[in-house]
Amino acid sequence: MEKLQNNPILPDSWINVEWNEITAPDGFRRGPFGGNLKKSCFVEKGYSVYEQYAPINDDCTSFRYFIDEEKYQELSGFHVNEGDFLISCSGTMGRITHVPVGSPSGVINQALLRIRLQDQFILPDYFLKLFRSPLIQNSVLNKTVGGAIQNLAAVKELKTIPLPIAPLPEQKRIIEKLDSLLAQVDTIQQRFNNLPDIIKRFRQSVLAAAVSGKLTEQWRMVNEILKPTEVLNNLLHARKEKWEEEQLKSFQRKGKLPTNDKWKNKYKSPQEGYLDEYDTTIIKSVTKDWLVCNLDSVSVMVTGKTPSTTDDTNWDGDIPFISPSQITKEGCVTAPSRYVSTIGAAKTPILPKNSVLVVCIGTIGKVGLLDKDAAFNQQINAMIPVNGMNKMFLFYWSKTLHDWLNKTSSAVVNAAIINKSRLSIAPCPVPSIEEQTEIVRLVEQYFALADTLEKNLANAKQRVDNLTQSILAKAFRGELVPQDPNDEPADKLLARIKAARLEAEKIEKAAKKAAKATKK
């Protein structure tokens, strides 16, 4: 038989055949129209209805729907037998499963294509691997039709897709070689799949060591450090200065500068101590060389507020408005969907760049770091670091507080919440500003290493994924295993099968003719 032209050049003993040439009679069958298999047909127990779940998950054991004996017989043309192949035809297309021995009797639904092979011509495992190869996947998926929901093309088009067929003995050799190689690839992929968790734990370990003092043990041995009381006195002085600075900014936004210093009397000293009811493992391991106080002592804390959304003059300005959805799990703050105007800015707190955000309603404990001045909503409490408090150290420490915040939160209208007064007394270890700077440097160094590892891992995973496709492509070009001149060429096998098929069809016709004559 002449080889089809849109497949690569094959070994002489191979042959390109149209897909329908290797299927059994009625080997291509698309599922019944929806009207033939409606939900009103389903019963609690009975024959299984095979859905796209089977090929997408390569699983023929889970079913949602069943039909009774009468409906099963009515849909006899759509029965599923052991050894059939089921292909997903809508949405997630081109997935395939081989129905194993012992699978329940049932029918296909409208989103499946059922394939039955002449297995004396092509081995099932050979076909399964061939179908999953880029050669056939590209051919199948290029024949999609439809708009929002893509569907495979009509069966008559799929039947003409050319398949490269090796002699039966070589098919067996290819299967054995692929099983060996792909098992090795799977082992590598499983190892790669374990690495993200290892890298995640590495980052967590770095943070734990950083905020407990273990990361800078050697640094403290060769550097002079302040006593905890000196650190606290410096922070308290710096906190009052930061509060006054932010109050003046607020006055300026409202256009009402104070005429005297009486406003300074409204300053409230930070709360003393910290809540240890839910003391974390990290706090317990903090070095004795450091001060341990609370977040209220190291920052000016502010709760967000949303300007009236019915007043258009509050919006469409230049000041970003941040909500929890703009804070990523890594702590970045993405571009907001709304911006506050100058008028709106007079009605809501505006945080300076480098403030630390903590989500305190709903997704408790998500932490972000502002890279520009911004307004923010009431689901967020923010900390403006005082002089003597490194913004990144405060950010890293806040990220370790996730469990503490969730344990100490309360529920209001079915939502978890931790208010500003509660957050204020969250514990916070404080080394000197010099040691904080060294800690941040080391953390960023280790995190950069983790980033490099993740990037290399992603590249390696991509190469392994490509390797699988490369191996399959090579297999079905006839390049994976050597050809054996003693193998019966595929074209001769096909000719014998065609002859046998014609003979079977003649016998079937004669039998039908005899049956009609008997009835007469």
Side-chain angles (χ1 to χ4, degrees):
M1 181 178 178
E2 182 180 352
K3 292 180 179 177
L4 303 178
Q5 294 304 307
N6 55 337
N7 265 351
I9 297 174
L10 301 174
D12 290 338
S13 58
W14 288 45
I15 188 172
N16 268 331
V17 299
E18 289 185 350
W19 194 348
N20 66 299
E21 293 185 82
I22 63 167
T23 56
D26 195 28
F28 273 83
R29 180 54 70 100
R30 184 71 187 263
F33 289 113
N36 292 322
L37 192 60
K38 298 182 292 187
K39 285 194 175 182
S40 59
C41 303
F42 300 148
V43 295
E44 197 171 317
K45 291 183 180 180
Y47 293 94
S48 301
V49 176
Y50 285 79
E51 300 180 88
Q52 289 210 117
Y53 176 90
I56 290 174
N57 296 280
D58 198 16
D59 179 5
C60 293
T61 63
S62 299
F63 303 95
R64 296 189 300 167
Y65 305 117
F66 303 89
I67 56 174
D68 60 21
E69 175 74 29
E70 182 180 354
K71 194 65 180 178
Y72 179 68
Q73 295 305 328
E74 179 187 329
L75 298 176
S76 60
F78 304 98
H79 286 182
V80 175
N81 296 336
E82 296 173 352
D84 287 345
F85 291 90
L86 305 180
I87 297 170
S88 58
C89 297
S90 179
T92 305
M93 298 176 299
R95 301 290 183 86
I96 187 172
T97 190
H98 186 207
V99 181
V101 174
S103 295
S105 298
V107 296
I108 54 173
N109 76 353
Q110 71 279 2
L112 292 180
L113 172 67
R114 186 198 68 201
I115 300 294
R116 285 182 182 158
L117 300 175
Q118 298 183 74
D119 52 13
Q120 70 272 39
F121 179 60
I122 182 170
L123 299 177
D125 276 355
Y126 179 90
F127 175 75
L128 190 65
K129 291 176 170 62
L130 172 59
F131 187 87
R132 287 171 173 165
S133 72
L135 174 66
I136 304 306
Q137 282 288 301
N138 291 339
S139 297
V140 168
L141 297 181
N142 283 339
K143 292 183 177 290
T144 58
V145 294
I149 300 178
Q150 295 284 295
N151 291 274
L152 285 189
V155 166
K156 64 180 181 180
E157 290 190 55
L158 297 174
K159 285 182 176 181
T160 63
I161 292 176
L163 304 181
I165 306 299
L168 277 173
E170 189 171 345
Q171 289 181 33
K172 186 177 180 181
R173 295 196 296 274
I174 289 172
I175 292 168
E176 291 172 349
K177 188 68 173 179
L178 282 175
D179 285 343
S180 173
L181 292 176
L182 296 180
Q184 295 177 50
V185 172
D186 285 344
T187 299
I188 295 170
Q189 288 176 326
Q190 288 171 10
R191 290 177 178 173
F192 281 161
N193 290 339
N194 292 332
L195 290 178
D197 283 342
I198 293 174
I199 296 173
K200 180 181 178 180
R201 290 197 297 272
F202 170 73
R203 281 197 173 95
Q204 292 171 339
S205 297
V206 169
L207 275 184
V211 299
S212 67
K214 291 180 181 178
L215 199 61
T216 43
E217 281 179 337
Q218 297 298 319
W219 184 91
R220 287 195 300 278
M221 292 176 65
V222 296
N223 287 272
E224 185 177 349
I225 60 174
L226 292 176
K227 294 179 179 179
T229 52
E230 294 177 285
V231 173
L232 180 59
N233 288 335
N234 291 341
L235 285 173
L236 295 179
H237 178 72
R239 183 181 183 275
K240 189 171 188 299
E241 288 186 339
K242 179 61 68 175
W243 179 85
E244 292 177 354
E245 179 186 329
E246 294 304 315
Q247 287 296 304
L248 283 173
K249 289 180 183 178
S250 178
F251 289 139
Q252 289 171 349
R253 287 195 297 272
K254 295 175 181 177
K256 298 179 181 179
L257 290 176
T259 57
N260 55 51
D261 287 344
K262 289 184 179 180
W263 59 274
K264 293 182 180 180
N265 296 330
K266 294 183 178 180
Y267 174 74
K268 293 181 179 179
S269 298
Q271 299 186 58
E272 295 182 359
Y274 61 88
L275 185 68
D276 59 2
E277 181 181 351
Y278 299 106
D279 210 353
T280 66
T281 302
I282 295 175
I283 277 290
K284 292 176 181 176
S285 63
V286 169
T287 174
K288 302 299 182 184
D289 295 329
W290 290 2
L291 165 74
V292 178
C293 57
N294 58 42
L295 292 178
D296 199 27
S297 301
V298 301
S299 67
V300 173
M301 303 194 73
V302 187
T303 300
K305 181 181 179 182
T306 302
S308 173
T309 56
T310 59
D311 186 348
D312 292 340
T313 63
N314 291 330
W315 302 95
D316 299 328
D318 298 321
I319 302 170
F321 183 74
I322 307 302
S323 60
S325 60
Q326 271 87 55
I327 303 173
T328 69
K329 64 180 181 179
E330 292 79 18
C332 298
V333 178
T334 60
S337 57
R338 305 198 74 176
Y339 289 80
V340 174
S341 67
T342 303
I343 294 174
K347 304 173 184 177
T348 185
I350 303 296
L351 290 174
K353 174 183 177 181
N354 299 328
S355 296
V356 178
L357 309 176
V358 181
V359 178
C360 289
I361 298 179
T363 312
I364 296 272
K366 193 161 61 164
V367 178
L369 183 67
L370 274 184
D371 59 357
K372 61 184 69 173
D373 292 2
F376 60 114
N377 80 2
Q378 58 277 6
Q379 292 176 278
I380 299 171
N381 282 308
M383 295 174 285
I384 305 171
V386 305
N387 291 333
M389 197 69 197
N390 186 294
K391 63 179 182 182
M392 291 306 301
F393 181 86
L394 183 59
F395 171 72
Y396 290 141
W397 168 250
S398 299
K399 285 177 73 70
T400 69
L401 279 176
H402 181 272
D403 290 344
W404 186 94
L405 292 171
N406 277 275
K407 287 177 181 177
T408 194
S409 66
S410 55
V412 177
V413 194
N414 297 322
I417 182 170
I418 181 165
N419 57 31
K420 187 177 78 171
S421 62
R422 194 75 164 170
L423 181 65
S424 297
I425 53 175
C428 182
V430 189
S432 68
I433 187 63
E434 293 80 12
E435 189 169 356
Q436 290 179 46
T437 302
E438 176 64 9
I439 288 169
V440 170
R441 184 188 72 80
L442 290 172
V443 169
E444 290 178 347
Q445 177 181 305
Y446 286 121
F447 278 14
L449 172 61
D451 290 341
T452 300
L453 291 173
E454 284 180 331
K455 184 177 180 180
N456 291 341
L457 173 60
N459 291 336
K461 281 177 66 67
Q462 185 61 54
R463 287 196 296 272
V464 172
D465 291 341
N466 292 340
L467 178 61
T468 297
Q469 297 304 307
S470 176
I471 291 170
L472 288 171
K474 190 172 183 179
F476 299 110
R477 291 196 303 264
E479 300 173 0
L480 192 63
V481 298
Q483 280 73 50
D484 186 337
N486 296 317
D487 291 343
E488 179 185 36
D491 57 352
K492 290 186 178 180
L493 177 60
L494 179 62
R496 288 196 295 106
I497 289 173
K498 280 187 173 182
R501 189 172 184 175
L502 287 173
E503 184 63 28
E505 289 173 355
K506 287 179 182 179
I507 294 172
E508 185 179 1
K509 286 179 182 179
K512 287 180 180 179
K513 189 174 181 181
K516 285 182 181 180
T518 302
K519 287 181 180 180
K520 290 180 180 180

